[in-house]
Amino acid sequence: MSQTVDRALSILPLLAQGPADLGQVAERLGVHKSTALRLLRTLHEHGLVFRQGDQRYRLGARLFALAQEAVENLDVREIAHPHLVELNEQCGHTVHLAVYEENEVLYIDKVESRYPVRMYSRIGKPVAITVAAVAKLLLADLPEPERRVVADKLDYPMYTSRSTPNAVAFLRELAVVREQGWATDLGGHEESINCVGAPIRGADGRAVAAMSVSAPNVVVTREELLTLLPLVRRTADTISREYSGTTRPKKA
Amino acid sequence: MSQTVDRALSILPLLAQGPADLGQVAERLGVHKSTALRLLRTLHEHGLVFRQGDQRYRLGARLFALAQEAVENLDVREIAHPHLVELNEQCGHTVHLAVYEENEVLYIDKVESRYPVRMYSRIGKPVAITVAAVAKLLLADLPEPERRVVADKLDYPMYTSRSTPNAVAFLRELAVVREQGWATDLGGHEESINCVGAPIRGADGRAVAAMSVSAPNVVVTREELLTLLPLVRRTADTISREYSGTTRPKKA
DNA sequence: AGTTGTCGTTGCAGCATGTGCAACACCCAT
DNA sequence: ATGGGTGTTGCACATGCTGCAACGACAACT
């Protein structure tokens, strides 16, 4: 790995937390001001960083443009979206779409109760990987050795008393999910929130994404939410079919 | 500027066009394969890039997460404030900043007029949503269905004879505002007060806030106030650019 | 099977490149 | 004026980046 690039890229998450001036950047990077300045300049020339009125640095528009392209290239999202909306119209609850990437599970789409999605709402956040239904689905689909390696590396925070406590329990849960082809999160992340989810599979049978429906206890009980399972699975299967039918990654 | 970082960052827009393998990246960068490899590795460790199918490289979803986090930590008010003050120094009148939230439009910042006669308003208070210039701007930017739903739910109090009388008239007014990109309130709230306003837009083109200049008849006539329109729009555009982190405005 | 081509990966020697220092320029408060 | 706080510049040094060439893995042909 390249030290210079490593330092430069470390600036990005730093600025994502909020604007910072040259001194702060240099200090938090552990380098001299002049070094930080040159890194920032380079980032600036590529538009990833922006200087606002009072000399402070912020993430720039180019980064947003790149982020846009990054998700647009995930064509699962395009295909799935209308189906997520439809599902939302039928049940009224929040619908999520997530993918697995590099030891993380990220939400890439979301439909909130009755209103159309707004870009940049809360999509893009990593999910609570040890408890979320979509995370279980995606991890359960990994090849066995990788699954175990990932499970070992994870932390197992006890969000609630129902959270997955450790790797052993997690792997056991994944085996169940793998077997039954769907997953739940019953108060494992927040005590009052339940989810049911199902995988979206590509032509080769592997899970390319996962979707879930979430609702708080006060709206529907666990049992009522579980009655939506067939609908969720049917939607996921529909998306799977459309995805594997239209996706033809030519040039082999 | 730093050569190494410069090269590394050049990879991103390159990958934005589509996945590429090591050889292609090296060639298009004009560097040796081993160099490209090390750059890609570094990008990979930061999650900006990932390898699909253990072969080709593509943009990583972490880019998306980064942009997301940055947007959440963005504070329109902080960015706008100095510009509002500057505008106030140039024209002397009251300047307002407002956002739309949950069927309401709220003032979130205000710079008081230098003239003795001031208008009543308070930061944090909902504005007269059917007549205020800022409210028209923000509602005009909503997606069509939501706009209509909101317009139907509103009350249309006749503050003055010039107030918007009903939903039909309001929607017509919003269409005009949407078209022209600015809005006025000519005695619709208080007989003697006029306003002109313009929207502040984020990187995705949606209005994140709106600003206006207000003055009573006794200080400036409507016609005189309207001559400030270019200045108001220019200020709003400047704030928009700074908020979205770009130097060049997108197309309207 | 053997062979040839392609592609990703590695270790290394040389030197381009990034680094930190110190001095400078600037702005604002005192 | 004076001082402390910024961001910025030029420069000598050596760090860490570069390109080379060789290796291993894999697949496609003959």
Side-chain angles (χ1 to χ4, degrees):
Chain A
M1 55 171 155
S2 160
Q3 185 190 60
T4 317
V5 178
D6 185 51
R7 285 173 170 171
L9 296 183
S10 300
I11 294 177
L12 297 180
L14 195 153
L15 289 185
Q17 295 169 10
D21 62 27
L22 179 61
Q24 294 169 331
V25 171
E27 188 194 6
R28 297 192 57 179
L29 267 189
V31 299
H32 197 268
K33 281 190 305 179
S34 60
T35 303
L37 178 66
R38 225 144 22 82
L39 297 177
L40 281 167
R41 275 227 243 269
T42 311
L43 290 169
H44 177 77
E45 283 190 8
H46 284 259
L48 299 185
V49 143
F50 174 78
R51 290 165 80 169
Q52 61 180 26
D54 57 347
Q55 300 284 28
R56 299 196 308 174
Y57 290 92
R58 270 192 35 211
L59 293 187
R62 182 83 214 199
L63 183 79
F64 300 94
L66 284 172
Q68 284 278 8
E69 300 199 58
V71 272
E72 277 170 14
N73 284 348
L74 299 175
D75 49 5
V76 207
R77 188 169 175 267
E78 280 178 49
I79 293 173
H81 189 76
H83 299 282
L84 304 184
V85 171
E86 190 186 348
L87 177 57
N88 167 265
E89 282 165 0
Q90 288 172 35
C91 71
H93 306 304
T94 302
V95 180
H96 279 114
L97 181 71
V99 294
Y100 170 78
E101 189 179 301
E102 306 285 330
N103 300 338
E104 281 185 343
V105 173
L106 299 163
Y107 288 128
I108 59 170
D109 203 358
K110 175 185 187 181
V111 184
E112 283 207 82
S113 40
R114 120 162 54 118
Y115 289 124
V117 196
R118 288 179 192 169
M119 184 61 188
Y120 299 139
S121 66
R122 205 167 258 285
I123 306 165
K125 285 284 187 200
V127 321
I129 198 169
T130 60
V131 294
V134 288
K136 293 175 189 170
L137 288 160
L138 292 166
L139 292 180
D141 190 69
L142 291 178
E144 208 280 315
E146 187 176 353
R147 201 188 326 158
R148 226 181 41 239
V149 169
V150 172
D152 274 340
K153 270 194 299 200
L154 293 178
D155 289 330
Y156 292 86
M158 295 301 286
Y159 306 106
T160 76
S161 62
R162 288 192 168 79
S163 298
T164 310
N166 53 50
V168 174
F170 193 46
L171 285 170
R172 196 159 45 222
E173 170 78 0
L174 292 188
V176 172
V177 168
R178 191 180 174 82
E179 183 62 30
Q180 68 192 6
W182 51 273
T184 60
D185 165 22
L186 301 177
H189 185 43
E190 294 183 38
E191 194 66 61
S192 62
I193 305 263
N194 302 313
C195 313
V196 292
I200 292 163
R201 302 186 183 279
D204 55 359
R206 294 213 35 181
V208 294
M211 57 177 293
S212 69
V213 168
S214 311
N217 272 331
V218 294
V219 176
V220 289
T221 65
R222 281 169 193 172
E223 293 70 28
E224 287 167 344
L225 186 62
L226 282 173
T227 64
L228 290 177
L229 179 58
L231 180 58
V232 174
R233 297 188 74 181
R234 218 178 314 133
T235 303
D237 289 346
T238 302
I239 297 171
S240 297
R241 269 193 299 278
E242 187 173 337
Y243 179 76
S244 40
T246 54
T247 302
R248 200 63 214 104
K250 250 329 274 168
K251 171 85 190 105
Chain B
M1 57 174 160
S2 160
Q3 185 191 62
T4 317
V5 177
D6 186 49
R7 286 172 169 171
L9 297 182
S10 300
I11 293 178
L12 298 179
L14 194 153
L15 289 184
Q17 295 169 7
D21 62 24
L22 179 61
Q24 295 168 336
V25 171
E27 187 195 3
R28 298 192 57 179
L29 268 189
V31 299
H32 197 267
K33 282 190 303 180
S34 60
T35 304
L37 178 66
R38 215 143 27 82
L39 297 178
L40 280 167
R41 275 227 244 266
T42 311
L43 290 169
H44 174 83
E45 283 190 7
H46 285 261
L48 300 187
V49 140
F50 87 110
R51 303 160 80 178
Q52 56 179 13
D54 210 53
Q55 259 285 45
R56 304 194 303 176
Y57 293 91
R58 44 165 310 157
L59 292 184
R62 178 126 282 230
L63 266 176
F64 197 50
L66 218 52
Q68 165 66 23
E69 188 181 351
V71 168
E72 278 180 11
N73 289 331
L74 259 196
D75 186 4
V76 210
R77 208 179 98 163
E78 189 190 343
I79 292 173
H81 190 76
H83 299 282
L84 304 184
V85 171
E86 190 187 349
L87 176 58
N88 166 265
E89 282 165 358
Q90 287 173 36
C91 71
H93 306 302
T94 302
V95 179
H96 278 113
L97 181 70
V99 295
Y100 171 78
E101 198 172 275
E102 304 278 331
N103 300 339
E104 281 184 344
V105 173
L106 304 165
Y107 287 128
I108 59 171
D109 201 1
K110 176 185 184 181
V111 183
E112 290 280 359
S113 166
R114 296 202 310 257
Y115 296 96
V117 187
R118 292 178 178 177
M119 64 175 291
Y120 304 122
S121 71
R122 259 183 54 192
I123 296 176
K125 280 290 180 190
V127 320
I129 198 169
T130 59
V131 294
V134 288
K136 293 175 189 170
L137 288 161
L138 291 166
L139 292 180
D141 190 69
L142 291 178
E144 208 280 317
E146 188 174 352
R147 201 188 326 156
R148 228 181 38 238
V149 169
V150 172
D152 274 340
K153 271 196 296 202
L154 292 177
D155 289 331
Y156 292 86
M158 294 302 285
Y159 306 105
T160 75
S161 65
R162 287 192 170 78
S163 299
T164 310
N166 53 49
V168 173
F170 192 46
L171 285 170
R172 198 158 44 219
E173 171 78 359
L174 293 187
V176 172
V177 167
R178 192 180 174 82
E179 182 62 29
Q180 68 191 6
W182 52 273
T184 60
D185 165 22
L186 301 176
H189 185 42
E190 296 183 37
E191 193 66 61
S192 62
I193 305 252
N194 302 312
C195 313
V196 291
I200 291 162
R201 302 184 183 279
D204 55 359
R206 297 219 26 187
V208 294
M211 57 177 292
S212 69
V213 167
S214 310
N217 274 330
V218 295
V219 176
V220 289
T221 64
R222 279 168 196 174
E223 292 70 28
E224 287 166 345
L225 185 62
L226 282 174
T227 63
L228 290 176
L229 178 58
L231 180 59
V232 173
R233 297 188 75 180
R234 219 179 313 133
T235 303
D237 288 347
T238 301
I239 298 170
S240 297
R241 272 192 296 275
E242 185 166 335
Y243 180 80
S244 54
T246 186
T247 4
R248 288 197 331 170
K250 256 188 129 181
K251 101 169 184 67

